[in-house]
Amino acid sequence: MRKSINAKIELLIMLLFCFSVSYGQKKQNNLTEKPNIILIIADDAGWNDVEYHGSVIQTPNIDFLAKNGVELNRFYANPTCSPSRASLFTGRPASRMGIVAPISDKSQFKLPDSIATLPKLLHQNNYQTALIGKWHLGLQQSSGPKAYGFDYSYGFLHGQIDQYTHLYKNGDKSWYRNGEFIDEQGHATDLITNEAIHWLSEKRDSNKNFFLEVAYSAPHFPLQEEQKWKDPYMNSIKDSSRRDFAAAMSHLDYSIGILLEKLKQENLDKNTLVIFMSDNGAMENWDSRNEYNGVHPSNTVLGDNSPLRDWKTSNYEGGIRVPCIFYWKDHLKNYKSESYISIIDLLPSILFLAGDKNLPQSIEGKNVWPAIAENKAIANQQIYVRGHLQESLIRKPWKIIRTRHADPVPTEYELYNIEKDPEEKNNVIKQNEKIAKQMNEALEIQFKKDAKKVNYEKIK
């Protein structure tokens, strides 16, 4: 009897030991495995243009990411498109490279050739890279995604396009695949989604991890949506212009759902980090008379940044604080992060997950993965953003904004406590002169690091 009991105890101990070893190995593997990464970028989606922020616009697939991932409640981009994308790919303020406004028309501005970029650095870690959708960092094929490290690219080079002809506002060709202009039929949102699906299932190297950026044109104007996307809003949204914008967001959200379903079908969902973000805040309206030969109606109402202040192009919260979500099945717990995180922090964080420990000195962003995955505080976080007419610097809970004017109008300074006053209603610079002085000094240090030649001729 005693031998039988001892044998059972020994068996139980052995089982517990095997379980602990197995669990430890599983935990270690979870910490060390490299994820695939899909970065989904909406174009001009405002703070209140996603349902999880209370919008009337229905975004069930974006909401799924928010309800099952980490919602970054204080994520800051740049006030316009090209600067945000430049910061994303370089891990530094776009103003360092002179990019402070959209690269437009016949501009020769582009991302510098010599600088380290996210796709180039991911190559060193055996990642395959693809960009599908909007580029907007060089308007010629020679300055397209391939020149900066992307293995595969498809979509449009410019900042905005007709959704069906895929032409830029001045009539220039923009739609391409791998360095060659092409002609295709279909709505840009559908074509971008279909290409991403095709790349995932047919074109990628299954022996490598991948980084896939899917950069939509939606909900950027011109708004050209089928009636089926407008129907859900016929009663809830009275303004036809706002209704068209909502339709573009719904079309985008539906497409994100297709991407998420493809990940399941390809058995990629458990080892793929999905990031969703907007490139800047929403635009208030659009005067179409001087674009596309006036064939598209103007928009009196576009996005909605409420309750945040102001619009795209502005350094107020409505222009630079944008929706952002990190979702990684079985790896990230669901919560709302209050950490202040900048778009320049994405590059070092992604490279950390890819196993890269030696980053170039040009990178100014921080690895904020511990803040996202474990809700740890970010020490000494400072966020500098320069637009075409304003600069801002954030040090929790303070934000200083400097607005430059042509002479003889003097430069204006504003100071806000954005924890107590996220709507930036109360400029408290006179009540906090010491803090304002410190913030302005820090702002000026950043400003002096910027390139001397900048591209602020164009605003939209």
Side-chain angles (χ1 to χ4, degrees):
M1 182 72 176
R2 182 174 295 175
K3 289 182 178 180
S4 175
I5 293 173
N6 288 340
K8 289 181 179 178
I9 291 173
E10 289 175 0
L11 178 62
L12 180 60
I13 291 172
M14 185 176 295
L15 289 171
L16 287 171
F17 175 76
C18 291
F19 172 78
S20 64
V21 171
S22 173
Y23 175 79
Q25 289 176 341
K26 182 178 180 182
K27 186 174 182 181
Q28 186 177 8
N29 288 338
N30 283 341
L31 290 172
T32 58
E33 67 178 323
K34 294 182 179 182
N36 304 308
I37 298 164
I38 294 183
L39 173 62
I40 303 170
I41 303 181
D43 197 352
D44 287 11
W47 185 260
N48 197 36
D49 291 328
V50 287
E51 193 171 2
Y52 74 90
H53 278 166
S55 176
V56 69
I57 299 175
Q58 299 165 24
T59 55
N61 293 298
I62 296 173
D63 283 14
F64 168 83
L65 299 176
K67 290 175 182 176
N68 295 278
V70 179
E71 177 190 338
L72 303 189
N73 196 42
R74 295 274 183 175
F75 181 78
Y76 290 89
N78 289 286
T80 51
C81 329
S82 297
S84 283
R85 293 161 208 275
S87 289
L88 166 67
F89 290 136
T90 64
R92 62 202 304 233
S95 49
R96 304 290 194 250
M97 298 156 281
I99 302 174
V100 299
I103 298 173
S104 304
D105 294 320
K106 304 295 183 180
S107 174
Q108 298 302 307
F109 254 88
K110 63 177 184 176
L111 205 59
D113 296 322
S114 58
I115 197 165
T117 62
L118 178 58
K120 287 180 181 179
L121 294 168
L122 284 171
H123 275 174
Q124 298 175 12
N125 294 275
N126 202 34
Y127 271 70
Q128 189 177 20
T129 59
L131 186 149
I132 295 173
K134 180 175 178 175
W135 172 238
H136 208 189
L137 286 172
L139 307 183
Q140 307 301 321
Q141 296 291 4
S142 60
S143 56
K146 184 178 180 180
Y148 301 93
F150 280 101
D151 299 309
Y152 186 89
S153 58
Y154 164 94
F156 57 108
L157 297 172
H158 291 73
Q160 64 180 71
I161 52 167
D162 182 292
Q163 308 297 341
Y164 286 101
T165 69
H166 315 133
L167 297 176
Y168 185 51
K169 60 185 178 182
N170 64 5
D172 283 353
K173 278 199 165 189
S174 193
W175 203 255
Y176 77 101
R177 179 185 282 111
N178 287 337
E180 295 184 4
F181 288 118
I182 58 174
D183 293 313
E184 287 189 311
Q185 300 292 318
H187 193 286
T189 297
D190 297 325
L191 292 176
I192 290 168
T193 304
N194 293 342
E195 190 77 8
I197 294 299
H198 186 58
W199 188 86
L200 283 169
S201 58
E202 303 290 339
K203 293 184 178 296
R204 69 181 178 88
D205 183 347
S206 60
N207 294 315
K208 289 185 175 182
N209 287 102
F210 65 81
F211 172 82
L212 170 63
E213 179 180 336
V214 187
Y216 284 99
S217 60
H220 198 293
F221 55 82
L223 302 173
Q224 300 163 268
E225 299 297 336
E226 295 177 88
Q227 188 61 38
K228 67 179 180 179
W229 301 114
K230 303 177 188 181
D231 284 341
Y233 306 106
M234 297 306 292
N235 294 323
S236 58
I237 300 178
K238 301 302 181 183
D239 186 281
S240 61
S241 179
R242 175 63 175 168
R243 192 161 56 231
D244 288 348
F245 185 95
M249 278 298 297
S250 285
H251 194 176
L252 165 66
D253 182 83
Y254 176 82
S255 301
I256 291 172
I258 295 175
L259 290 175
L260 296 177
E261 184 59 33
K262 173 54 67 171
L263 291 180
K264 291 181 183 178
Q265 293 173 3
E266 298 289 325
N267 295 316
L268 294 168
D269 54 327
K270 290 186 178 180
N271 194 35
T272 300
L273 169 64
V274 179
I275 305 171
F276 168 80
M277 60 170 284
S278 180
D279 59 351
N280 46 249
M283 199 162 171
E284 183 177 14
N285 50 44
W286 175 50
D287 183 349
S288 66
R289 286 175 295 180
N290 297 319
E291 301 179 12
Y292 304 103
N293 293 318
V295 299
H296 298 296
S298 296
N299 295 109
T300 54
V301 180
L302 287 169
D304 183 359
N305 295 323
S306 62
L308 305 180
R309 178 179 175 181
D310 224 329
W311 305 94
K312 173 182 176 178
T313 77
S314 161
N315 275 48
Y316 296 107
E317 294 286 275
I320 62 175
R321 184 178 167 190
V322 297
C324 184
I325 306 164
F326 276 59
Y327 167 77
W328 187 2
K329 186 177 181 180
D330 298 334
H331 288 74
L332 292 175
K333 295 180 180 179
N334 172 240
Y335 78 99
K336 182 187 290 188
S337 170
E338 297 295 340
S339 293
Y340 286 52
I341 295 175
S342 166
I343 193 169
I344 71 171
D345 299 323
L346 294 186
L347 182 148
S349 304
I350 289 171
L351 288 174
F352 169 78
L353 293 174
D356 198 326
K357 302 294 192 298
N358 300 307
L359 300 182
Q361 291 184 346
S362 62
I363 294 172
E364 298 182 42
K366 294 182 179 180
N367 169 25
V368 295
W369 183 248
I372 294 170
E374 304 169 48
N375 202 17
K376 291 185 176 180
I378 305 172
N380 304 316
Q381 182 70 318
Q382 177 175 280
I383 297 175
Y384 170 67
V385 179
R386 180 175 175 182
H388 61 283
L389 293 175
Q390 291 179 311
E391 300 81 54
S392 58
L393 186 129
I394 298 171
R395 282 180 181 168
K396 183 180 179 178
W398 301 103
K399 177 181 177 183
I400 191 167
I401 301 175
R402 181 171 69 184
T403 305
R404 289 169 280 110
H405 299 282
D407 292 337
V409 180
T411 298
E412 295 180 65
Y413 295 87
E414 299 165 81
L415 181 71
Y416 297 97
N417 184 323
I418 52 176
E419 292 283 333
K420 296 180 179 179
D421 181 24
E423 299 175 31
E424 295 171 306
K425 291 182 176 180
N426 302 305
N427 178 9
V428 293
I429 195 165
K430 292 182 178 180
Q431 296 90 335
N432 299 274
E433 292 183 358
K434 183 177 180 180
I435 291 172
K437 183 176 183 293
Q438 294 171 346
M439 294 287 287
N440 186 48
E441 288 173 352
L443 175 67
E444 186 60 28
I445 289 171
Q446 294 296 323
F447 187 77
K448 288 180 178 178
K449 294 179 183 180
D450 290 343
K452 302 306 178 187
K453 182 180 179 182
V454 295
N455 72 323
Y456 50 37
E457 294 86 0
K458 298 289 182 179
I459 294 178
K460 296 180 182 179

